[in-house]
Amino acid sequence: MSVGSTAAIVARLDALERALDARHPQRLTETGSRERADEWDDLTLDGMAAEQAALRGTAEAAAELATLAVGEPARTYVALYRRTLAQRLARARGFLHAFPVNQMLGLPNQTGGGLRVTFFLANVHPLDTAVDVETYLARLEASGPHLLRLVATLRDGARRGLVLPGCVIAATRAACAAMLQGAPFDGTAPHPLLARLRQALPLPA
């Protein structure tokens, strides 16, 4: 098998991607691995810098593969992977600019970025064995420090001027406050969402 054949190129691309996956505990879980299943992705500024460095190194390796690929579909596979890496690097560089916590989505749909904590625990982390349960509880316990690290990162971004526009914050302040009013948050009338759920589902009073 020549180094530029489709089979050889695919094997090299798989190896590059597995190396990137190994940096992300959550991505490992998504791929079915049990490695580092009690950890969250690194959302610190140092972690983001290391991620960008890893992506640049992988992009350089993929560029080298582009010179080795012989014929199709090997060349197309490498070209598509290089494009994907460029998009990932752009997202990594702009993480704070994307307002990873905002008034509309809270912790938005960026599973690989260490966010969507409740979604990840409810829908991604496996619970098939006793070990799965133990790592689930460990990851749940680690979610508090994980989110505090995200808060610290956001504050670093705020010091650089990367904050939501003031007009957006003012317009949503009342809506955010209303989210924590009514049962089960206090002893008043049920929260509108809870009331709607009771209409649709047989929930206890």
Side-chain angles (χ1 to χ4, degrees), residues 112-137:
L115 303 175
R116 292 187 91 185
V117 169
T118 52
F119 175 91
F120 191 90
L121 290 173
N123 297 282
V124 181
H125 191 109
L127 292 171
D128 300 322
T129 68
V131 174
D132 290 341
V133 173
E134 291 175 0
T135 55
Y136 178 94
L137 293 174

Side-chain angles (χ1 to χ4, degrees), residues 4-7 9-10 13 69-80:
S5 68
T6 295
I9 292 297
V10 168
L13 292 176
V70 177
E72 297 295 345
R75 289 174 180 167
T76 298
Y77 289 161
V78 174
L80 290 173

Side-chain angles (χ1 to χ4, degrees), residues 54-91:
L55 287 168
R56 286 193 295 268
T58 304
E60 291 173 1
E64 181 181 349
L65 287 182
T67 66
L68 299 175
V70 177
E72 297 295 345
R75 289 174 180 167
T76 298
Y77 289 161
V78 174
L80 290 173
Y81 189 61
R82 294 181 69 188
R83 181 179 179 84
T84 298
L85 289 172
Q87 292 171 339
R88 289 184 187 173
L89 184 55
R91 285 197 301 268

Side-chain angles (χ1 to χ4, degrees), residues 18 21-37 41 120 139:
R18 284 196 301 272
D21 285 347
R23 298 179 42 78
H24 297 276
Q26 289 176 253
R27 195 177 298 164
L28 287 172
T29 301
E30 290 170 350
T31 61
S33 171
R34 263 50 176 193
E35 295 180 54
R36 304 177 65 189
D41 289 356
F120 191 90
R139 194 170 244 164

